[in-house]
Amino acid sequence: MVTKAPGAAMYVPENADLTALRQAACDCHGCDLYRHATQTVFGAGPQDADVVLIGEQPGDQEDVAGHPFVGPAGRLLDRALAEVGIDRDAVYLTNAVKHFKFVERGKRRIHKQPGRTEVVACSAWLDAELDLLRPRLVVCLGAIAAQAVLGPAFKVSARRGEVVETADFRAIATVHPSSVLRAPDRTAAYEAFVDDLRIVREQLGKSAAAR
């Protein structure tokens, strides 16, 4: 039997800035993931960011550090962003789920994909971030992020790299950088990921020209 999580909405303060949202998220018990995670890992980046990159959930190193995308996948993302000319310091990085979900194998904590219940429970934080940031472009890194933003029927495999118009922003879905690290042909997977980020860079250029 799956127990419905109470959700994060009751923990999200009204009319809060990013600092207040981040502080409030530290006390979120909207689902059970907080029980075993080290801490909440909230989004990071400037409030005036034109682009928001959304991943699935924090990993082991992010859970310990308290910051998103600081592990191996984050370093690969840094490299790819630099290659296409996107300044990481100018983008906002966050995850659909703010706590690390894992299984223990000896001394190691192995990532476990969050379920739909946990994604929905955590959605109030992501909604609050996007409402406050009002980005021009949202980049969904992987299926969990894409379905959190564009609906549970969205398939990255079918619509990867496509520019999707929503009521509030344009969105582009690609793979999560961790999938590049796991790919049998890592070079080809990385080049395809960079190609997707070039589309993001192109869209940012169009946004700047339209101002």
Side-chain angles (χ1 to χ4, degrees), residues 158-179:
R159 303 182 68 181
R160 177 176 179 176
E162 178 184 335
V163 180
V164 180
E165 296 282 349
T166 76
D168 300 311
F169 47 75
R170 281 165 294 136
I172 296 173
T174 182
V175 298
H176 194 282
S178 63
S179 73

Side-chain angles (χ1 to χ4, degrees), residues 134-198:
R134 301 185 67 82
R136 295 174 181 271
L137 188 63
V138 169
V139 182
C140 302
L141 301 171
I144 294 295
Q147 291 168 9
V149 173
L150 299 170
F154 189 92
K155 293 187 181 300
V156 176
S157 58
R159 303 182 68 181
R160 177 176 179 176
E162 178 184 335
V163 180
V164 180
E165 296 282 349
T166 76
D168 300 311
F169 47 75
R170 281 165 294 136
I172 296 173
T174 182
V175 298
H176 194 282
S178 63
S179 73
V180 177
L181 296 173
R182 297 192 304 269
D185 187 341
R186 190 181 295 186
T187 298
Y190 177 76
E191 289 174 353
F193 182 58
V194 168
D195 285 344
D196 290 340
L197 292 184
R198 286 198 176 99

Side-chain angles (χ1 to χ4, degrees), residues 22-41:
R22 188 173 291 108
Q23 290 174 343
C26 293
D27 297 320
C28 184
H29 296 172
C31 74
D32 285 342
L33 293 185
Y34 80 93
R35 297 182 184 277
H36 304 291
T38 304
Q39 59 192 315
T40 303
V41 181

Side-chain angles (χ1 to χ4, degrees), residues 31-207:
C31 74
D32 285 342
L33 293 185
Y34 80 93
R35 297 182 184 277
H36 304 291
T38 304
Q39 59 192 315
T40 303
V41 181
F42 205 70
Q47 191 161 322
D48 62 351
D50 282 336
V51 60
V52 173
L53 278 73
I54 304 171
E56 177 192 276
Q57 65 166 358
D60 181 74
Q61 292 187 31
E62 289 80 5
D63 174 71
V64 174
H67 302 290
F69 290 96
V70 296
R75 290 191 289 274
L76 185 142
L77 177 62
D78 287 352
R79 174 185 161 201
L81 289 172
E83 191 164 326
V84 302
I86 297 175
D87 181 4
R88 171 168 169 154
D89 291 339
V91 306
Y92 186 88
L93 293 159
T94 192
N95 285 294
V97 173
K98 310 303 190 199
H99 285 110
F100 180 36
K101 183 177 182 179
F102 60 92
V103 293
E104 290 184 307
R105 292 182 185 166
K107 294 183 178 180
R108 297 179 64 201
R109 300 188 302 171
I110 307 299
H111 161 276
K112 185 176 181 181
Q113 182 173 297
R116 185 66 188 168
T117 296
E118 291 147 348
V119 174
V120 171
C122 206
S123 63
W125 292 117
L126 184 59
D127 290 344
E129 287 174 294
L130 293 175
D131 287 347
L132 186 60
L133 292 160
R134 301 185 67 82
R136 295 174 181 271
L137 188 63
V138 169
V139 182
C140 302
L141 301 171
I144 294 295
Q147 291 168 9
V149 173
L150 299 170
F154 189 92
K155 293 187 181 300
V156 176
S157 58
R159 303 182 68 181
R160 177 176 179 176
E162 178 184 335
V163 180
V164 180
E165 296 282 349
T166 76
D168 300 311
F169 47 75
R170 281 165 294 136
I172 296 173
T174 182
V175 298
H176 194 282
S178 63
S179 73
V180 177
L181 296 173
R182 297 192 304 269
D185 187 341
R186 190 181 295 186
T187 298
Y190 177 76
E191 289 174 353
F193 182 58
V194 168
D195 285 344
D196 290 340
L197 292 184
R198 286 198 176 99
I199 298 171
V200 174
R201 182 69 186 86
E202 179 183 315
Q203 289 296 314
L204 286 174
K206 290 179 178 179
S207 293

Side-chain angles (χ1 to χ4, degrees), residues 5-25:
M10 68 182 72
Y11 298 94
V12 179
E14 294 184 6
N15 303 316
D17 61 11
L18 281 176
T19 299
L21 284 178
R22 188 173 291 108
Q23 290 174 343

